[in-house]
Amino acid sequence: MARMDMSLVDNAQIAAGSNNASSLLELGIMYSTGRDVEQDLVSAHKCFNLAALQGLREARDYRQEIASEMSPQEIAEAQRQARDWLSMN
């Protein structure tokens, strides 16, 4: 299977086009680990939250794990971004 060089792709566009829980989970993992993108826990939390809303238990677990490394303000921002994403998709 071919791998896409994520550094060449606007990840916001990927996230906006993904309403698939597995894709959102993968994007969250990328952001949380900094794999192929700059590490961004707010974006990771947002993606995990969206995947969890679609029923992925694993996403809920990851979201909880990274939340322990985030400030309350960062968590609130991630939740706001997830709500915004839902209203646009």
Side-chain angles (χ1 to χ4, degrees), residues 1-88:
M1 181 187 303
R3 287 188 51 124
M4 182 183 296
D5 182 357
M6 298 307 292
S7 63
L8 301 176
V9 179
D10 181 351
N11 290 297
Q13 289 177 331
I14 293 171
S18 280
N19 57 11
N20 174 310
S22 296
S23 296
L24 289 164
L25 176 68
E26 180 63 25
L27 193 56
I29 291 170
M30 290 172 60
Y31 277 122
S32 67
T33 62
R35 187 186 79 219
D36 298 325
V37 295
E38 188 172 329
Q39 186 179 36
D40 181 349
L41 296 183
V42 171
S43 293
H45 190 284
K46 174 188 76 174
C47 292
F48 291 146
N49 196 26
L50 293 167
L53 287 171
Q54 294 183 34
L56 265 185
R57 182 182 194 101
E58 184 179 10
R60 190 179 63 198
D61 295 341
Y62 284 140
R63 181 186 61 201
Q64 183 177 358
E65 184 178 324
I66 67 166
S68 67
E69 301 175 32
M70 298 170 68
S71 71
Q73 294 81 10
E74 290 172 320
I75 293 169
E77 176 61 20
Q79 292 170 336
R80 185 193 62 74
Q81 288 182 19
R83 283 191 304 273
D84 290 348
W85 187 92
L86 285 170
S87 70
M88 291 188 292

